[in-house]
Amino acid sequence: MKMIKKIAKGLLITCLVLFATLFIYANWNKPSLGEKVYMENPTQIVVMTLPENFTEKDSAAVDRFLAGQDGVYSTVISRYSQTLCITFDPRETNRSSMIEIMSAYNTSIRERVPLSNRAECPVNLNAFRKITYALNVRK
């Protein structure tokens, strides 16, 4: 019985030391602006390719259409590069439904193929970063 109590006490002290270390590390620096913005208001982006014959009227119509969709924060339309960038709330909608909605709206609007295999978002949002953000009291 004494051996079990010693092991339990050792485990408890080890867990408390690890938590205290993580808490101190989390509060060592302020979270970056990207982390603050994402953690408080998560967003995802889908980038689509527009057809070559896209006009200003079409751009305005797409903008109005997407403004009425649930979860859409913003849209950026560039007729010069023929791209449509949709920023949306992943808690209300998802990437595949946004692609389906836009392809149903206009069959020639398609998802843009990524330019490279690396991630295009500069914010590091792995699980460890999320934990340290949650423990940071200076956010």
Side-chain angles (χ1 to χ4, degrees):
M1 192 67 166
K2 286 185 177 183
M3 185 67 143
I4 294 174
K5 284 185 178 181
K6 283 185 179 182
I7 291 173
K9 186 178 178 181
L11 283 174
L12 179 64
I13 291 172
T14 303
C15 289
L16 288 174
V17 167
L18 286 174
F19 179 77
T21 304
L22 182 60
F23 187 77
I24 290 168
Y25 175 78
N27 288 285
W28 200 263
N29 295 317
K30 281 186 175 181
S32 69
L33 179 60
E35 289 171 334
K36 285 180 91 169
V37 168
Y38 181 81
M39 297 293 183
E40 292 172 6
N41 193 12
T43 58
Q44 288 186 354
I45 298 171
V46 65
V47 180
M48 308 190 85
T49 304
L50 300 172
E52 289 187 27
N53 59 351
F54 217 68
T55 64
E56 286 184 32
K57 277 187 175 180
D58 296 332
S59 298
V62 166
D63 199 32
R64 280 192 306 274
F65 174 73
L66 287 171
Q69 298 299 316
D70 290 335
V72 174
Y73 288 136
S74 67
T75 58
V76 177
I77 300 171
S78 173
R79 289 186 308 122
Y80 176 74
S81 62
Q82 297 172 330
T83 56
L84 165 65
C85 182
I86 306 169
T87 308
F88 60 92
D89 185 348
R91 297 171 293 193
E92 294 185 30
T93 186
N94 59 29
R95 187 179 141 276
S96 60
S97 68
M98 292 305 303
I99 294 170
E100 288 174 13
I101 288 169
M102 288 313 298
S103 64
Y105 178 78
N106 186 337
T107 56
S108 57
I109 298 176
R110 302 186 188 275
E111 184 181 17
R112 185 188 80 176
V113 177
L115 299 176
S116 66
N117 289 337
R118 67 182 184 89
E120 296 182 18
C121 180
V123 180
N124 184 3
L125 300 173
N126 59 30
F128 181 72
R129 297 299 299 162
K130 289 180 181 178
I131 291 169
T132 57
Y133 180 82
L135 293 175
N136 194 321
V137 293
R138 297 191 311 170
K139 55 189 174 197

